[in-house]
């Protein structure tokens, strides 16, 4: 009953998260073909994604101003910009045109990402309901569905431009009910918080945990299909199952994460989840058969899905209320860099060491959460005088 109430409460915002999932999931399934179409090597593909990251970061800086200017139509316009922007990579046949396309598409993604999360945060404040896990879970499920469908469409020989045209049509239908009259939360109270009072080391450590989790998630989303096709000779449809499994298990993990955290302390949950995710990524990287690689991506999705949200929830729970806004905003700034640096980092490592080893190195980063960062976070929290 509570779940149905939450779904109804955030129905408008959930549409925006679904549009984001559809676009990113379809891109992940078509990534090998887009890479080949533009004639790119691993490092060139990673560098083009890094150019896209620059566009996303710039757009995120502008997003609050865009949110205010567009008012109730902000999510509608940003969602349509996102779906339109993802048409461009399908028209790219060189590094320059592909990088430019990713700059535009990722910029639109950055805008929608900030706007929909800001609007959802405002809705949480108004209703007193926790809605973030639910809506991020909807993103993951939409991602999984789009990756699977796009893989089948690609297998049938449909060019990427037509697949993304279909995504644009679906997005336009969803956008019809996406107007939001609820303003973003702009209390401004955090602006007056003394910087010296904020336990900076604790916030940085928690932010790095989120950063590693998001880096592993985004890197795997963009490179899993390529890994399956390269390592096992998987078809386009079989390759798309990799990101689809990741999105599906992440959706399941996020939808159930709120209940799990009631039973396990946040620090312990982050350690268990990071170890599980690392095992899954290592299994996917070195699996001798394709089925085990699928299992690895599923385990990775279940583990990595709860790390970021749990770290944010832990800081929100332990930091004094007068410092909470500043702490969460800084964590998000650090953590969301993972969405941007993950794909190019994997690209450069794959060029130098091979894709299997690049994925394994990302698994090693996840183990650092369990062995180093969570214990350091607990120690920092004790020194700052908050409960660990």
């Amino acid at each position: 009953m509570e779940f149905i109430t939450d779904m109804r409460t955030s129905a408008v915002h959930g549409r925006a998260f679904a549009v984001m999932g559809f676009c990113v999931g379809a891109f992940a399934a078509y990534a090998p073909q887009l890479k080949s179409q533009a004639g790119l090597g691993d490092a060139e593909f990673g560098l083009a994604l890094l150019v896209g990251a620059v566009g996303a970061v710039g757009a995120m800086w502008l997003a609050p101003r865009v949110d205010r200017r567009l008012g109730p139509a902000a999510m509608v316009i940003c969602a349509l910009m996102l779906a339109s922007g993802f048409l461009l990579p399908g028209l790219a046949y060189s590094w320059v045109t592909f990088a430019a396309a990713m700059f535009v598409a990722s910029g639109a993604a950055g805008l929608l990402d900030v706007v929909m999360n800001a609007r959802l945060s405002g809705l949480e404040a108004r209703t007193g309901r926790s809605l973030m896990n639910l809506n991020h879970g909807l993103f993951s499920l939409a991602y999984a569905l789009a990756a699977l469908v796009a893989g089948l469409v690609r297998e049938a020989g449909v060019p990427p431009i037509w697949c993304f045209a279909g995504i644009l049509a679906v997005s336009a239908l969803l956008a019809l009910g996406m107007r939001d009259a609820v303003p973003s939360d702009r209390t401004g109270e955090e602006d007056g918080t003394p910087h010296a009072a904020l336990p900076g080391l604790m916030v940085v450590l928690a932010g790095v945990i989120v950063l590693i989790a998001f880096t592993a998630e985004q890197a795997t989303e963009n490179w899993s299909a390529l890994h399956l096709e390269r390592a096992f000779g998987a078809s386009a449809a079989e390759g798309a199952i990799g990101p689809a499994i990741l999105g599906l298990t992440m959706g399941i993990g996020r939808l159930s994460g709120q209940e799990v955290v009631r039973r396990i302390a946040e620090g312990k949950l982050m350690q268990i989840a990071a170890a599980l995710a690392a095992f899954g990524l290592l299994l996917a990287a070195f699996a001798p058969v394709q089925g085990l690689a699928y299992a690895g991506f599923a385990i990775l999705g279940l583990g990595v899905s709860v790390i970021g949200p749990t770290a944010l929830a832990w800081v929100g729970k332990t930091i004094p209320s007068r410092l909470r806004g500043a702490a969460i905003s800084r964590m998000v700034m650090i953590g969301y860099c993972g969405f941007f640096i993950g794909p190019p980092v994997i690209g450069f490592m794959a060029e130098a060491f091979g894709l299997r080893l690049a994925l394994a190195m990302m698994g090693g980063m996840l183990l650092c959460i369990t062995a180093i960062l969570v214990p350091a976070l607990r120690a920092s929290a004790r020194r700052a005088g908050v409960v660990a």
Side-chain angles (χ1 to χ4, degrees):
M1 190 66 182
E2 289 291 318
F3 177 81
I4 295 175
T5 301
D6 288 343
M7 285 289 291
R8 289 174 177 170
T9 302
S10 59
V12 170
H13 305 75
R15 293 168 182 256
F17 281 85
V19 169
M20 180 74 80
F22 288 149
C23 291
V24 178
F27 177 83
Y30 266 94
Q33 182 173 335
L34 293 170
K35 177 176 175 289
S36 176
Q37 177 179 287
L40 307 180
D42 288 348
E44 291 173 318
F45 184 62
L47 185 59
L49 295 178
L50 184 59
V51 171
V54 173
V57 171
M60 292 179 83
W61 277 102
L62 296 173
R65 184 178 300 176
V66 172
D67 190 14
R68 289 192 296 270
R69 290 288 182 88
L70 296 180
M75 288 196 298
V76 175
I77 295 173
C78 290
L80 293 177
M81 288 174 59
L82 173 66
S84 300
F86 268 93
L87 290 171
L88 301 178
L91 300 173
Y93 290 89
S94 68
W95 184 87
V96 172
T97 55
F98 184 77
M102 292 311 301
F103 184 88
V104 174
S106 298
L111 278 179
L112 180 60
D113 202 345
V114 171
V115 169
M116 69 187 186
N117 277 286
R119 294 300 179 101
L120 184 62
S121 179
L123 182 63
E124 285 186 318
R126 284 172 59 93
T127 62
R129 304 190 73 87
S130 178
L131 303 169
M132 281 290 180
N133 277 322
L134 170 62
N135 283 269
H136 282 270
L138 291 175
F139 160 81
S140 296
L141 293 175
Y143 171 92
L145 176 62
L148 185 59
V149 172
L152 294 173
V153 169
R154 180 183 161 212
E155 180 79 6
V158 177
I161 184 65
W162 292 112
C163 176
F164 284 102
I167 295 291
L168 175 58
V170 173
S171 300
L173 291 174
L174 290 173
L176 293 175
M178 211 182 289
R179 290 179 65 88
D180 173 32
V182 179
S184 300
D185 186 18
R186 303 186 185 100
T187 61
E189 294 176 0
E190 294 77 21
D191 295 338
T193 300
H195 291 287
L198 187 67
L201 178 60
M202 186 173 68
V203 171
V204 169
L205 288 170
V208 172
I209 290 173
V210 180
L211 168 65
I212 292 174
F214 285 176
T215 298
E217 172 189 340
Q218 189 68 5
T220 308
E221 285 177 353
N222 284 275
W223 289 90
S224 55
L226 186 62
H227 169 60
L228 289 165
E229 293 179 22
R230 181 178 295 178
F232 305 104
S235 66
E238 291 171 334
I241 292 176
I245 287 175
L246 181 69
L248 177 62
T249 54
M250 286 191 65
I252 293 171
R254 283 173 173 163
L255 291 175
S256 59
Q258 190 65 34
E259 182 63 29
V260 173
V261 83
R262 291 175 185 158
R263 304 172 185 274
I264 303 175
E266 286 88 348
K268 180 61 69 176
L269 177 59
M270 285 189 286
Q271 289 181 298
I272 295 172
L276 185 66
F279 172 74
L281 193 49
L282 290 169
L283 177 60
F286 296 114
V289 295
Q290 189 170 315
L292 282 178
Y294 287 148
F297 287 130
I299 294 169
L300 167 67
L302 288 173
V304 81
S305 65
V306 299
I307 297 173
T310 301
L312 290 167
W314 186 88
V315 169
K317 176 181 175 181
T318 56
I319 293 285
S321 58
R322 61 189 174 85
L323 302 174
R324 190 172 298 135
I328 294 296
S329 67
R330 294 182 190 184
M331 278 184 63
V332 170
M333 288 180 64
I334 297 170
Y336 266 73
C337 291
F339 282 118
F340 309 134
I341 69 173
V345 164
I346 284 285
F348 294 134
M349 290 194 298
E351 187 79 9
F353 308 110
L355 188 51
R356 284 184 183 269
L357 193 55
L359 293 172
M361 289 177 180
M362 193 64 66
M365 290 175 60
L366 286 165
L367 286 176
C368 289
I369 295 176
T370 298
I372 299 172
L373 291 172
V374 171
L377 181 59
R378 289 195 184 106
S380 177
R382 286 193 294 269
R383 287 194 297 270
V386 295
V387 179

